[in-house]
Amino acid sequence: MNIVKKWTEISLIKRIIAGLIVGAVLGIAVPEASVLSILGDLFVGALKAIAPLLVFFLVMHSLSNKQDSAESNMRTVIILYIVSTFMAALTAVAASFIFPSVLTLTETAEGTAPEGIGEVIQTLLMNVVDNPVSALMNANYIGVLAWAVILGLALRKAGDTTIGVIGNISDAFAAAIRWIINFAPFGILGLVFVTVSETGIKALLSYGHIILVLVGCMLFVAFILNPIIVFINIRQNPYPLVLKCIKDSGIMAFFTRSSAANIPVNMSLCESLGLDEKQYSVSIPLGATINMAGAAITITVLTLATVNTLDIQVDFATALLLSFIAAVSACGASGVAGGSLLLIPLACSLFGISNDIAMQVVGVGFIIGVVQDSCETALNSSSDAIFTATAEFRRWKKEGRPIKW
């Protein structure tokens, strides 16, 4: 027990860095020790398994509580999500014009891409009315949120004992999440080991330019664009908040490569920032579904790289339309099997590019996914926490309350 106590007293980020280093060393020294990969699988699997239940009971308890909380920030949060996603797509357009990329289209990919924006939106809406048990089993957070809101409002007439039981269950899941997060260093060790031992560095080097453009756009959004949006809203130095969210949320998301698995991490972060549980219990899982700046960048950059490869001329109006399509598509990415990559054919159709060629681009996306998907998830997930905090801090500013992080 003394060892466990000393272990938990060490800063989590220090323990994660130690796990990262050990995982990388083992991946180089003993790449055949594939048994280590189970550490990463167990960690991500545990987070994915418990996150939908945590969200469901947390939201249901928050809304069923008869005590009215402060004014809702959801309108502000949603506006921030939408604006940042669209601005990320515009950033990707600008970068693709300044640093044009071309692809060698030799890879193919399997999967069914959506035929249009209508299909993406329809899938998103159908997720709202999904069977609640199915939504929990499949981590359909739109459906989980919808049913949690409905049941939470319906339970406002329930007795205090019933609401207390729901609150106790919610607290139990929150405690379980904290226990799981303490095993993050071992999970990161396993995930890094798999990446280092299995990823062919030579394969990534051949796509160096496109990777640099993608990662450069995501870094620009994370360290320039997002801080500007935060500053406009709270009129205060945004970097302490931005850096804390990247450190506590983005780094974890980079290695897990799963926004769903990072929901508990973001909720823990919001709690440490002193935010209102009734607000972040809704905005964080919602952000994991519709706040997709990284996905918008991926869709835009790879689509314009395809356009350059085929020597298709693009004017400003078409590029602006592409930004809009990429932003809307990215918001529905979680409702489409394959995530952001399978939305590339939808964006390519704007330029009359055939689905066969577009699916080859998806294949390229899977090759560079070890870098692209990690950075994309880190940006998406850390932004969820940043804008949730920004919306609440903006209200605090109006009320004259001090902002601390």
Side-chain angles (χ1 to χ4, degrees):
M1 292 302 295
N2 288 333
I3 295 176
V4 173
K5 185 178 180 181
K6 289 181 180 179
W7 170 256
T8 55
E9 287 176 351
I10 301 173
S11 167
L12 180 61
I13 191 67
K14 292 180 180 178
R15 286 182 277 155
I16 288 175
I17 291 173
L20 190 161
I21 294 172
V22 174
V25 171
L26 291 175
I28 296 171
V30 285
E32 67 279 0
S34 57
V35 68
L36 292 173
S37 65
I38 195 173
L39 294 174
D41 294 339
L42 287 172
F43 176 64
V44 175
L47 286 174
K48 284 184 175 180
I50 202 170
L53 292 166
L54 172 68
V55 170
F56 183 73
F57 282 100
L58 198 60
V59 174
M60 187 165 56
H61 176 250
S62 295
L63 294 179
S64 64
N65 196 325
K66 295 181 178 64
Q67 297 179 350
D68 293 328
S69 67
E71 179 186 355
S72 174
N73 301 317
M74 286 309 300
R75 180 181 176 185
T76 303
V77 172
I78 291 173
I79 290 173
L80 291 173
Y81 284 168
I82 294 172
V83 169
S84 65
T85 300
F86 180 68
M87 293 301 295
L90 284 179
T91 299
V93 167
S96 296
F97 274 97
I98 298 171
F99 308 103
S101 305
V102 293
L103 302 171
T104 302
L105 302 179
T106 57
E107 299 292 332
T108 58
E110 296 180 357
T112 303
E115 295 180 357
I117 290 291
E119 184 179 339
V120 174
I121 295 175
Q122 180 184 4
T123 302
L124 201 60
L125 292 176
M126 290 305 296
N127 283 337
V128 174
V129 294
D130 190 13
N131 180 291
V133 176
S134 174
L136 285 168
M137 290 178 61
N138 298 314
N140 167 19
Y141 286 98
I142 288 290
V144 170
L145 276 175
W147 286 110
V149 168
I150 292 170
L151 293 175
L153 294 175
L155 284 167
R156 288 181 71 86
K157 294 183 179 180
D160 292 339
T161 302
T162 301
I163 295 175
V165 170
I166 296 173
N168 290 337
I169 295 174
S170 174
D171 292 341
F173 279 119
I177 285 293
R178 287 192 288 271
W179 296 342
I180 293 171
I181 291 176
N182 270 315
F183 286 95
F186 301 103
I188 297 300
L189 186 155
L191 293 168
V192 171
F193 170 81
V194 171
T195 300
V196 173
S197 63
E198 295 184 359
T199 301
I201 301 299
K202 292 182 179 179
L204 292 178
L205 290 177
S206 63
Y207 294 100
H209 186 273
I210 192 74
I211 290 175
L212 287 175
V213 174
L214 282 166
V215 174
C217 288
M218 293 178 191
L219 290 175
F220 179 86
V221 171
F223 292 102
I224 304 296
L225 184 59
N226 283 354
I228 290 174
I229 295 174
V230 174
F231 175 78
I232 290 173
N233 281 272
I234 66 174
R235 302 293 177 179
Q236 212 167 299
N237 180 8
Y239 282 99
L241 173 63
V242 170
L243 294 177
K244 179 175 178 60
C245 290
I246 290 175
K247 175 175 70 71
D248 292 357
S249 172
I251 292 176
M252 186 82 76
F254 181 90
F255 292 107
T256 62
R257 294 166 64 182
S258 171
S259 294
N262 218 50
I263 287 175
V265 177
N266 275 344
M267 287 190 168
S268 178
L269 171 58
C270 289
E271 182 182 9
S272 71
L273 289 170
L275 305 184
D276 185 357
E277 182 183 283
K278 200 165 189 175
Q279 310 291 340
Y280 70 71
S281 64
V282 176
S283 65
I284 291 299
L286 182 64
T289 304
I290 69 169
N291 183 35
M292 295 287 174
I297 289 171
T298 297
I299 294 167
T300 303
V301 169
L302 288 176
T303 298
L304 288 178
T306 310
V307 167
N308 291 333
T309 302
L310 300 177
D311 199 24
I312 299 173
Q313 299 301 314
V314 180
D315 56 26
F316 176 77
T318 307
L320 191 63
L321 180 59
L322 173 62
S323 299
F324 175 77
I325 290 176
V328 174
S329 300
C331 290
S334 62
V336 179
S340 60
L341 292 178
L342 280 178
L343 289 164
I344 292 171
L346 172 58
C348 285
S349 66
L350 177 65
F351 303 95
I353 298 171
S354 71
N355 191 62
D356 289 340
I357 294 177
M359 290 306 291
Q360 290 185 48
V361 181
V362 174
V364 172
F366 281 118
I367 293 174
I368 63 175
V370 66
V371 176
Q372 167 266 325
D373 194 34
S374 295
C375 293
E376 179 181 312
T377 308
L379 174 59
N380 291 341
S381 197
S382 62
S383 296
D384 296 344
I386 288 170
F387 294 134
T388 293
T390 298
E392 187 153 345
F393 289 160
R394 175 175 173 164
R395 179 167 58 80
W396 290 8
K397 196 85 172 179
K398 290 180 179 179
E399 296 173 353
R401 295 169 59 184
I403 298 176
K404 298 179 181 180
W405 41 60

